[in-house]
Amino acid sequence: MASALVHGGTLVHGATVVDGTGAPPQAADTLVVDGRITAVEPPGRIPRETSSYAAVDATGLVVCPGFIDAHSHADTSPLLETDDLSKIRQGVTTEIVGNCGDSPAPAGPGSDGENPANPESPESPEDTENFLFPDGGRPYRSFTELFTALDERGYVTNYCPLMGHGSLRLAAMGMRDARATPEDLAVMRELAHEALDAGVFGLSSGLIYPPGAYSDRAELASLAGLLPDGRVYATHMRDENERLLSSIEETLDVARRAGCRVQVSHLKCGGRDSWGRMPEAVRLLDDARAAGVRVTHDVYPYEAASTHLSACLPPWAHEGGPGALLRRLNDRGELRRIRAAVEAEHSAGWENLVAGAGGYSSIMVSSTRSHSYEGRTLDEIGARLGMAPFDAMVQVLCEERLQVTMVGFCMEERDIEVAMTAPGAMVGSDGLPFGTGGRPHPRLFGTFPRVLGRYVRERRTLELADAVRRMTSLPADTFSVPGRGRVAVGAVADLVALDPATVSHPGDYLEPDVAPTGISWVMMAGEVVVSDGRWAGTRRGRRLIPA
């Protein structure tokens, strides 16, 4: 295929166009000039003047808008020395980052030895290190500072950042298990204003993770209420298992108080106690939408979740930060208390991931700092070490200084399909950051091809045009992504060509980093960046500004 853009433009011909709106597929030729779509016409209506156009033959392929990952954690990927190809090879050209309350800015207490919001904080850099990101979450004091660093490096995919509520709270209060005072809230609001002025697309929260877990509805509504119209409050809810429905109620209440658009992150029945309740969850969202709440959600197409292994511990154990948690794990009295909470029949006001997964045998260590233990479940590690699975979990956390991620097998496919087909559902990978090595969840490398292969072609859960809409125009409209999400005149020419008969992802939980199949090429602003799985080597993404 032709990959060079000549002065007259590029003509993509022979394709079946799925335009992202949900309209039926149609045979059409697409003309791209100066990075934008200038014509979409029936075959042959645009003259193939080879002296003017670079011709791209897409016969037998579906051409659609570049996919938009509605839930990504690739916040620091532009800073990596290696190009992060995990999403672009799937056809993802735009990512919504800063999810689950976690963003690399603003800086928390202890960063560079001092925090302007709380200069008397006793916490050390170790106590506030962010283990989500490969570089340890180097603290950026502001989003302006963060964006300057990112812009200098360039972007593989387009970058649409949210500000993390957890990061705002950490900057204002440290890892303190307490209600925010008016003074604390004033600091958070000031930091949020700076982030909005810098160009964030909204606010996210992670209410199972400290310090977000320590917040209440009034705090969340106060911050979400600062969002300009059209920007989004996205939330990893307080509980996706036993208290799923009450967590949805809290989410909707915050949105009503704030008067903002709200996105339920990775909607799931994330534990055995909630299996089969997805129709009830969807009904709550539908009823709220009918009553005027602008609520949507995202879904990933797997029966396993993934997060930090330390999230298996109760929120109170994290107070004070990583250093304080490690000290508790090495204190016999505190450890007995933590064990009692983790192994209790019912959790007391927090989402118990061990119970939700059905026990230690359903939790697999996916990556660690030293790359030990990877690919084994906690009960397998315990058997190998000659100790109980809980003790094995603690040993791994302590040995690896908490730098451990996990995969938890906690969902049923029938619930996934109900969530995926519900009104307002879009696709998000929730892939943890690239660059940590190990065996990350395969959703990082295969979410979008898996939807198209398993849930469109094989199970026929979704029609192709509807699936593409949920990957393109719906997230573009929800998050105010400018100029993307449609094959339409005037849109930026971020395009994907795929073979609907072969598109898939062959990776699994032990070998996740496998290239998708069936993605013929990916174009960004009229330039082909991936062809037959090969990366062209130039970062052509941009940090976008909300429409």
Side-chain angles (χ1 to χ4, degrees), residues 80-272:
L80 298 175
E81 292 298 326
T82 302
D83 293 330
D84 177 3
L85 306 183
S86 61
K87 301 296 177 56
I88 196 72
R89 293 194 305 181
Q90 299 181 51
V92 171
T93 54
T94 299
E95 299 182 67
I96 311 297
V97 302
N99 283 287
C100 296
D102 217 336
S103 55
S111 60
D112 299 329
E114 182 182 349
N115 174 38
N118 186 7
E120 302 303 319
S121 171
E123 293 158 328
S124 67
E126 176 200 56
D127 290 329
T128 58
E129 189 172 7
N130 189 334
F131 297 127
L132 177 65
F133 303 117
D135 61 356
R138 176 199 155 188
Y140 292 89
R141 291 186 175 277
S142 68
F143 275 89
T144 300
E145 180 183 326
L146 171 65
F147 293 160
T148 298
L150 295 171
D151 291 349
E152 287 177 356
R153 296 301 302 274
Y155 304 85
V156 172
T157 58
N158 298 318
Y159 189 94
C160 300
L162 306 173
M163 57 177 162
H165 161 253
S167 300
L168 298 176
R169 197 176 215 270
L170 186 65
M173 301 176 62
M175 192 68 81
R176 182 155 47 94
D177 186 356
R179 180 170 294 183
T181 66
E183 293 76 18
D184 294 329
L185 194 54
V187 173
M188 284 187 262
R189 288 171 63 91
E190 181 180 352
L191 294 169
H193 279 299
E194 185 279 330
L196 289 166
D197 289 343
V200 299
F201 281 68
L203 171 73
S204 76
S205 67
L207 302 183
I208 75 163
Y209 304 114
Y214 307 144
S215 65
D216 60 18
R217 299 183 187 197
E219 176 183 325
L220 296 166
S222 176
L223 294 170
L226 300 176
L227 298 174
D229 187 52
R231 300 202 204 177
V232 179
Y233 167 54
T235 180
H236 179 147
M237 299 185 298
R238 206 171 293 273
D239 195 321
E240 297 171 325
N241 185 21
E242 289 183 89
R243 286 168 289 276
L244 171 64
L245 300 184
S246 63
S247 295
I248 292 175
E249 188 277 323
E250 177 187 34
T251 296
L252 297 172
D253 182 48
V254 169
R256 291 188 188 99
R257 293 191 197 190
C260 67
R261 183 185 292 277
V262 62
Q263 174 85 354
V264 177
S265 296
H266 43 63
L267 180 64
K268 65 171 75 74
C269 291
R272 294 168 191 270

Side-chain angles (χ1 to χ4, degrees), residues 1-2 9-17 26-32 39-50 53-63 487 495 497 520-521 523:
M1 60 165 291
T10 297
L11 178 64
V12 180
H13 64 89
T16 297
V17 171
Q26 60 176 340
D29 296 343
T30 303
L31 182 62
V32 177
V40 183
E41 297 287 347
R45 192 168 292 182
I46 303 172
R48 299 182 193 174
E49 301 172 3
T50 55
Y53 306 145
V56 175
D57 186 354
T59 300
L61 300 176
V62 164
V63 168
V487 180
L495 301 173
S520 182
W521 51 261
M523 181 182 288

Side-chain angles (χ1 to χ4, degrees), residues 185-488:
L185 194 54
V187 173
M188 284 187 262
R189 288 171 63 91
E190 181 180 352
L191 294 169
H193 279 299
E194 185 279 330
L196 289 166
D197 289 343
V200 299
F201 281 68
L203 171 73
S204 76
S205 67
L207 302 183
I208 75 163
Y209 304 114
Y214 307 144
S215 65
D216 60 18
R217 299 183 187 197
E219 176 183 325
L220 296 166
S222 176
L223 294 170
L226 300 176
L227 298 174
D229 187 52
R231 300 202 204 177
V232 179
Y233 167 54
T235 180
H236 179 147
M237 299 185 298
R238 206 171 293 273
D239 195 321
E240 297 171 325
N241 185 21
E242 289 183 89
R243 286 168 289 276
L244 171 64
L245 300 184
S246 63
S247 295
I248 292 175
E249 188 277 323
E250 177 187 34
T251 296
L252 297 172
D253 182 48
V254 169
R256 291 188 188 99
R257 293 191 197 190
C260 67
R261 183 185 292 277
V262 62
Q263 174 85 354
V264 177
S265 296
H266 43 63
L267 180 64
K268 65 171 75 74
C269 291
R272 294 168 191 270
D273 290 330
S274 65
W275 285 359
R277 305 197 75 178
M278 188 57 72
E280 296 175 76
V282 167
R283 191 156 48 247
L284 285 176
L285 300 179
D286 289 347
D287 291 347
R289 197 159 34 245
V293 179
R294 294 171 294 173
V295 58
T296 47
H297 65 275
D298 52 80
V299 183
Y300 54 81
Y302 296 89
E303 295 167 60
S306 183
T307 187
H308 311 288
L309 185 62
S310 60
C312 292
L313 309 179
W316 53 259
H318 296 258
E319 184 175 14
L325 174 56
L326 285 168
R327 290 189 287 274
R328 289 188 181 97
L329 293 178
N330 285 282
D331 180 288
R332 287 187 179 183
E334 290 281 45
L335 192 57
R336 281 195 297 270
R337 186 180 169 212
I338 292 170
R339 182 173 197 153
V342 171
E343 297 188 344
E345 187 173 348
H346 295 285
S347 59
W350 63 287
E351 183 178 358
N352 187 327
L353 301 184
V354 173
Y360 299 104
S361 63
S362 294
I363 293 177
M364 184 189 84
V365 171
S366 56
S367 69
T368 69
R369 184 175 64 169
S370 71
H371 300 299
S372 302
Y373 306 109
E374 293 172 346
R376 297 190 180 96
T377 63
L378 291 176
D379 63 340
E380 289 172 340
I381 295 170
R384 186 183 179 107
L385 298 176
M387 59 179 63
F390 174 84
D391 298 318
M393 176 174 70
V394 171
Q395 178 158 325
V396 172
L397 287 169
C398 291
E399 279 186 17
E400 302 293 335
R401 306 293 294 174
L402 306 181
Q403 295 183 47
V404 188
T405 59
M406 57 169 268
V407 168
F409 298 88
C410 60
M411 288 174 272
E412 279 197 320
E413 189 166 46
R414 59 180 178 171
D415 288 321
I416 295 169
E417 291 187 299
V418 171
M420 187 182 294
T421 56
M426 59 195 77
V427 177
S429 71
D430 195 20
L432 296 185
F434 179 81
T436 58
R439 293 179 168 91
H441 194 301
R443 65 192 183 185
L444 177 63
F445 308 99
T447 288
F448 292 79
R450 179 172 169 82
V451 169
L452 296 170
R454 180 164 182 79
Y455 293 102
V456 173
R457 184 177 64 246
E458 296 173 8
R459 294 182 64 84
R460 300 186 179 180
T461 305
L462 294 169
E463 295 292 332
L464 176 61
D466 187 31
V468 170
R469 178 184 69 86
R470 295 171 188 271
M471 298 176 175
T472 57
S473 68
L474 181 56
D477 294 346
T478 299
F479 288 94
S480 299
V481 178
R484 276 85 179 169
R486 290 171 173 80
V487 180

